[in-house]
Amino acid sequence: MKNELVLILDFGGQYNQLIARRVRECNVYSEVVPFDISIEKIKEKNPKGIIFTGGPASVYGENSPKCNPEIFNLNIPILGICYGMQLMTNTLGGKVARAAKREYGTIDVNIDNTSLLFKNFNSHNIFLMSHTDYVELLPDGFKNIGSTPSCPNAAIENIEKNLYGIQFHPEVNNSVNGTQVIKNFLFDVCKCTGDWQISSFVDESIKNLKTKIGDKKALCALSGGVDSSVAAVLLNKAIGKNLTCIFVDHGLLRKNEGDEVEDIFRNQFDINLIRVNAKDRFLNKLASVTDPEKKRKIIGEEFIRVFEEEAKKIGAVDFLVQGTIYPDVIESGLGKSSVIKSHHNVGGLPDYVDFKEIVEPLRDLFKDEVRKTGLELGIPENLVFRQPFPGPGLAIRIIGDITDDKLNILKEADSIFREEIANAGLNKNINQYFAVLTNLKSVGVMGDERTYDYTIALRAVETTDFMTGIWSKIPYEVLEKVSSRIVNEVSHVNRVVYDITSKPPATIEWE
Ligand code: XMP
């Protein structure tokens, strides 16, 4: 059975992914497509509704993105957001004007709650506005259903044709009840039923993978990260032992992580797993290397080499499994081309693996949906909700050159930090937290002895996008416990400091 679909035409707005996510959160499957998608393609996809995103252009600008005007004759409900509303107005004969000054911020919008779009709303609601152009004259057949003092046409509708336009952004959290506007469009205007569920996605994917792969062979590089783990388990449910996973353990994972990954995949899921313990090989290549970018490059390349060598032993396979997810697809150009996701983005696609086709079972899912899929498949929560961990692993958390001894010091200190954060119940609030082995040695005193040992830095940030973030205000008692445990339990550490820098100006990782 095919799910109901809502198409999101992308006009370059910064919130396009968010719109798609909001729609899916309402259990309606959505896809982001380029604004110039052909009418034939739209007909083929047969959507229940279409949403135009915002965008930075002005409809009067040279080369401003325009969709095929035929779209308005397809009898499919359309919701235009911001630029999308202005384009709808401009194409259908209304007038868009330029305000002297950009309007930005959350604004009280006066709305007509007799409109289907604003069902269940009061007559006023706070929404986020971010625009310079505005709709001055409505096209024929349209009526005003919302305004603010500086934006007379903040919302418009043409009931007969099921066309709606809003100047504000219902998809962002700053808009109060924004999702309700999207829900009203989906369920009252488009008459969707809300049939998109992760469980049906899982069943459907397994069925499709079975048909596609049959009894042919597939190979998957497993890192222990969320995406590749979920992809592997999905494939395993579909083709069982015809899937082989190669887990390249570079030795730079956190304490016990390699064994945990092996245990889950070998014992819980009975997956055909080859674990390559390649720590020595990686450490040899990294000996005396101090430059962070060089470390990344070496690890990325070595990962590919180890993977290739193992793959060669297996011989030709039909499919190579990649854990590409939807944001990778959108960011790489609106589904026109696809990013080949390498192991944690550190390397590239192996050159010499003999395969015919790539399978990307998660390429339609957002990260939170990948996590839901993982839970649905029975992957343990601690893996599914694992905090982000960089592909080059602890190598970029040891400042300066890397040795086995330093690696062990860091693993122990990091493990204590994580344990205490969990004990304090802070693990759900802090999005990324870890220890860093600084290259700094300082003088200390233990018993009656002078020590000259390493300084461990603790890093903890709160962020949603990992592009910006604030340092976490961990209670002093927790920091005190962590510090005391680290200096007492980890040899060669005599000082612990806490990083109180936000991003920007600092980055989350130290290298
Ligand atoms: P920064 O340090 O740039 O980190 O503030 C932002 C996020 O990216 C992760 N990160 C990496 N992930 N390979 C990865 O797969 C890398 O080389 C890498 N460097 C940073 C970092 O852990 C944080 O979540």
Side-chain angles (χ1 to χ4, degrees), residues 25 32 36 44 143 146-147 174 176 203 206 218 236 274 291 382 417 430 436 468:
E25 279 163 18
V32 180
D36 56 359
E44 197 183 296
K143 149 180 177 221
S147 62
N174 311 21
V176 178
D203 295 344
I206 293 175
N236 172 253
I274 298 171
D291 177 67
N382 65 349
F417 186 31
I430 310 176
V436 175
T468 60

Side-chain angles (χ1 to χ4, degrees), residues 296 344 346 388-392 396-397 432 466 503 507-509:
R296 284 189 167 83
H344 287 313
V346 287
F389 185 66
I396 56 165
R397 293 179 181 171
Q432 204 170 0
F466 297 89
K503 174 184 180 179
T507 52
I508 295 175
E509 302 289 348

Side-chain angles (χ1 to χ4, degrees), residues 218-223 228 243-250 272-278 281-282 298-315 317 319-323 340-343 346-355 357-358:
L219 189 62
C220 177
L222 198 61
S223 66
S228 68
L243 169 74
T244 303
C245 291
I246 299 178
F247 168 35
V248 178
D249 183 353
H250 52 24
N272 239 341
L273 179 79
I274 298 171
R275 174 175 176 178
V276 193
N277 290 318
R281 204 172 147 163
F282 279 84
I298 290 171
I299 294 165
E301 279 173 8
E302 200 56 17
F303 179 86
I304 300 286
R305 296 291 89 83
V306 177
F307 181 70
E308 278 170 358
E309 282 169 27
E310 287 307 312
K312 254 188 214 155
K313 291 183 197 159
I314 295 170
V317 291
F319 295 92
L320 184 69
V321 184
Q322 295 271 317
I340 304 300
K341 187 169 182 174
S342 58
H343 168 76
V346 287
L349 191 68
D351 300 331
Y352 308 109
V353 177
D354 194 355
F355 67 95
E357 206 181 319
I358 288 178

Side-chain angles (χ1 to χ4, degrees), residues 194-236:
D195 62 358
W196 160 248
Q197 272 171 355
I198 282 296
S199 54
S200 47
F201 166 82
V202 170
D203 295 344
E204 192 78 359
S205 300
I206 293 175
K207 210 169 76 201
N208 292 342
L209 288 166
K210 268 188 183 147
T211 316
K212 184 179 172 127
I213 304 182
D215 54 9
K216 297 195 179 120
K217 303 248 178 276
L219 189 62
C220 177
L222 198 61
S223 66
V226 180
D227 302 343
S228 68
S229 300
V230 174
V233 175
L234 203 55
L235 259 293
N236 172 253

Side-chain angles (χ1 to χ4, degrees), residues 387-390 397 430-434 459-463 466 508-509:
Q387 53 169 315
F389 185 66
R397 293 179 181 171
I430 310 176
N431 306 95
Q432 204 170 0
Y433 49 98
F434 51 87
R459 181 71 165 143
V461 285
E462 290 168 30
T463 171
F466 297 89
I508 295 175
E509 302 289 348

Side-chain angles (χ1 to χ4, degrees), residues 112-185:
D112 175 354
N113 55 11
T114 61
S115 163
L116 275 186
L117 199 61
F118 298 127
K119 196 174 127 182
N120 298 326
F121 274 86
N122 293 324
S123 56
H124 284 264
N125 197 73
I126 304 287
F127 289 113
L128 180 89
M129 290 272 206
S130 169
H131 67 116
T132 313
D133 287 1
Y134 66 97
V135 170
E136 192 178 56
L137 284 178
L138 307 190
D140 281 349
F142 277 78
K143 149 180 177 221
N144 177 298
I145 51 167
S147 62
T148 73
S150 52
C151 182
N153 293 306
I156 60 175
E157 72 176 7
N158 179 333
I159 307 181
E160 214 170 287
K161 297 202 154 165
N162 277 324
L163 302 178
Y164 291 81
I166 47 183
Q167 186 54 67
F168 51 83
H169 290 273
E171 68 276 17
V172 298
N173 284 335
N174 311 21
S175 285
V176 178
N177 297 326
T179 307
Q180 187 62 43
V181 176
I182 294 173
K183 268 192 190 154
N184 290 347
F185 177 68

